[in-house]
Amino acid sequence: MGGEEEDQESPLLGCSSQPDEPEEPLKRTGTIWTSIAYIITGVIGAGVLSLAWTVAQLGWIAGPLLMIVFAGITIISTNLLCDCYRHPDPECGPARIRSYMEAVRVYLGEKSQKVSGVIVLEGLWGGAAAYVITAATSMRAIQKSNCYHKEGHQAPCAYGDTFYMLLFGLVQIVMSQIPDFHKMEWLSVVAAMMSFTYSFIGIALGFAKVIENGKIMGSITGVPASTLANKFWLVFEAFGDIAFAYPYSIIVLEIQDTLKSPPPENQTMKRASMVAIFVTTCFYLCCGCFGYAAFGNDTPGNILTGFGFYEPYWLIDFANACVVLHLVGGYQIYSQPVFAYCERWFTKKFPNSGFVNNFYTIKLPLLPGFQWNLLRLCFRTAYVVSSTGIAMLFPYFNSVLGLLGALNFWPLTIYFPVEMYFVQKKVGAWTKKWIALRTFSFVCFLVTVVGFVGSLEAIISAKLS
């Protein structure tokens, strides 16, 4: 791995229909701005809509404070991971490490790579399923909003999610034929614009509701529960929701691999991460706090679909349409690394297979030629079908987000980046830096445990009720 070889796309990710033709070097054109767009697209998505509910469970002190703490944790872990892109030197090493699992293999070995691979693929696939749930909820909310406007706020406007999940899945089957990350800058920019739009609308609606109420709702301790045990379950689930809302470690190296150099890719990526997380945290605090201030103990699980807001109905419809458009791009941000990893594996495993390596060109009127192959079509379609199916089986917005956030937070965002940092920087055992990072990792492990337990309890209760 390294140098020239890593600067070429694998046969499956390239566009040549002739396997024997020499591959052209991959031209990296990404900048700090495209990286910020990628990060915001990947981070501000399903998670932002649940933050008002999260603040409501934690109260006015713990809720905003935990968002800031998670932002700091994300920046620390991302900076550790950015230095792993080039090996052995983080700025001028000859070898490029183009994915999270590849980094784990280089720094920690094959066994750790297999463990991380399972967790990474589960996290990406789970994130895609969560986006299906969120997109379907927003599409259904548009229909409900129009119903409430026509029939009145007390009308029984009840609609299912299944049709909308299937519709979103069909769109993703088409979108998933985009070859790879390097061909989807436009989609990320559009998706990031949509995320800004609906976040601003959510903030504005919350602020307007506070003005209408004439007071700030909520309390220091958050929403009361029937028992102390129930309160703990809700607080634990809220931890999982915040854990889902921030980290994007599993796509850091894929994004970094799109950057042109000079300047060194790790420096550009660190600056992009700092800006993106700062912007994201501001949005999160505004969305979460204004939502809780507006509704207090009645704060819905999803601020744009829980119908704390009814009017202006057209603005709520527009905001939810922006959510759906953003999630079309967000789904691909989470899915393209899975496609790239699995298709590279198939290419190496079956180098002489026409099903795997042969590309065909489709030319449509007024459009450039589109190249595809049978493996890409079949595998990516099956992936979308499976993520849509699991979303239909467990359509519980807050609980699913919390469970996914808890499962992936400590191993992917904390443990592996810390361990790789130890190897790269040759940090000795029981040094001050070693003790500090070990303590940091253990505290984050406890967060994962409580978030997982709380979210799992909520899913089981919802499924059995």
Side-chain angles (χ1 to χ4, degrees):
M1 178 198 65
E4 228 172 28
E5 184 180 340
E6 283 301 310
D7 275 352
Q8 296 179 349
E9 292 179 294
S10 67
L12 195 61
L13 296 178
C15 298
S16 172
S17 59
Q18 302 295 329
D20 294 328
E21 290 180 2
E23 297 175 315
E24 296 182 2
L26 176 61
K27 185 178 180 181
R28 295 174 171 85
T29 59
T31 65
I32 185 172
W33 300 111
T34 60
S35 297
I36 291 171
Y38 279 137
I39 294 168
I40 291 175
T41 302
V43 176
I44 300 182
V48 68
L49 302 173
S50 69
L51 289 177
W53 180 89
T54 299
V55 175
Q57 309 312 311
L58 298 170
W60 274 120
I61 295 178
L65 181 62
L66 274 178
M67 286 193 215
I68 295 171
V69 168
F70 271 84
I73 291 172
T74 303
I75 289 173
I76 292 171
S77 65
T78 301
N79 285 349
L80 297 179
L81 199 53
C82 288
D83 287 337
C84 296
Y85 174 65
R86 284 189 179 270
H87 178 77
D89 184 87
E91 293 190 0
C92 55
R96 296 177 187 268
I97 299 176
R98 300 171 61 182
S99 72
Y100 189 100
M101 286 180 281
E102 192 177 346
V104 174
R105 178 183 62 80
V106 169
Y107 291 102
L108 302 179
E110 296 284 348
K111 184 179 293 186
S112 293
Q113 183 200 24
K114 291 178 181 178
V115 174
S116 72
V118 172
I119 302 172
V120 166
L121 294 177
E122 167 271 318
L124 291 168
W125 180 73
Y131 276 26
V132 174
I133 296 172
T134 311
T137 303
S138 290
M139 287 188 278
R140 182 187 63 179
I142 294 173
Q143 187 176 12
K144 290 181 70 175
S145 174
N146 293 333
C147 173
Y148 285 133
H149 178 72
K150 293 178 181 179
E151 306 295 334
H153 297 173
Q154 304 304 318
C157 299
Y159 305 98
D161 290 324
T162 302
F163 171 76
Y164 297 110
M165 290 184 181
L166 291 174
L167 182 62
F168 187 78
L170 287 173
V171 172
Q172 290 304 330
I173 287 175
V174 176
M175 297 301 297
S176 65
Q177 299 309 308
I178 295 173
D180 55 56
F181 251 133
H182 301 275
K183 306 295 189 298
M184 57 183 296
E185 286 185 1
W186 64 272
L187 183 61
S188 291
V189 171
V190 170
M193 291 171 60
M194 294 299 101
S195 69
F196 276 112
T197 301
Y198 71 71
S199 296
F200 273 123
I201 292 174
I203 293 168
L205 288 172
F207 181 74
K209 186 70 174 178
V210 172
I211 298 299
E212 179 186 329
N213 293 339
K215 62 178 180 179
I216 295 176
M217 309 286 279
S219 65
I220 292 177
T221 57
V223 177
S226 56
T227 67
L228 184 61
N230 286 339
K231 180 64 177 178
F232 273 116
W233 291 131
L234 292 171
V235 169
F236 290 170
E237 186 179 349
F239 271 68
D241 280 358
I242 298 180
F244 180 87
Y246 268 110
Y248 58 99
S249 301
I250 49 182
I251 59 174
V252 166
L253 294 179
E254 276 85 0
I255 295 173
Q256 194 166 341
D257 190 49
T258 68
L259 294 174
K260 62 183 178 181
S261 179
E265 299 92 345
N266 66 330
Q267 293 182 12
T268 303
M269 193 65 187
K270 287 177 182 179
R271 288 196 296 269
S273 296
M274 184 71 73
V275 173
I277 292 301
F278 176 79
V279 172
T280 299
T281 302
C282 290
F283 275 122
Y284 282 3
L285 287 170
C286 290
C287 289
C289 294
F290 277 126
Y292 183 41
F295 299 108
N297 293 343
D298 297 323
T299 302
N302 183 324
I303 197 66
L304 290 177
T305 65
F307 287 93
F309 305 111
Y310 290 94
E311 301 292 344
Y313 80 98
W314 58 268
L315 186 60
I316 297 167
D317 288 355
F318 178 67
N320 279 299
C322 289
V323 172
V324 174
L325 289 174
H326 171 252
L327 295 180
V328 169
Y331 186 100
Q332 290 302 313
I333 289 289
Y334 275 91
S335 300
Q336 287 291 335
V338 180
F339 300 156
Y341 175 81
C342 294
E343 291 168 358
R344 279 198 292 263
W345 183 87
F346 278 112
T347 299
K348 293 176 181 177
K349 189 74 173 177
F350 307 102
N352 300 317
S353 169
F355 179 83
V356 173
N357 295 291
N358 287 352
F359 282 77
Y360 308 92
T361 301
I362 298 177
K363 185 69 174 70
L364 298 176
L366 304 179
L367 293 175
F370 176 74
Q371 293 185 322
W372 63 283
N373 87 331
L374 291 173
L375 174 64
R376 179 184 295 167
L377 178 65
C378 295
F379 173 74
R380 297 188 181 193
T381 299
Y383 176 90
V384 174
V385 169
S386 67
S387 63
T388 304
I390 200 69
M392 294 168 64
L393 189 61
F394 298 101
Y396 311 120
F397 178 73
N398 294 92
S399 303
V400 169
L401 298 194
L403 185 68
L404 290 171
L407 276 175
N408 300 318
F409 174 67
W410 178 72
L412 299 182
T413 304
I414 307 301
Y415 175 75
F416 285 117
V418 167
E419 294 300 317
M420 288 189 284
Y421 179 83
F422 284 158
V423 172
Q424 186 189 54
K425 299 296 184 180
K426 298 179 175 60
V427 178
W430 302 108
T431 60
K432 290 182 179 179
K433 184 176 291 186
W434 186 92
I435 293 173
L437 287 175
R438 286 287 186 213
T439 304
F440 170 71
S441 180
F442 178 72
V443 171
C444 292
F445 172 74
L446 296 180
V447 172
T448 282
V449 171
V450 298
F452 176 82
V453 170
S455 299
L456 183 62
E457 189 275 339
I459 289 176
I460 292 174
S461 298
K463 198 68 177 174
L464 296 179
S465 62

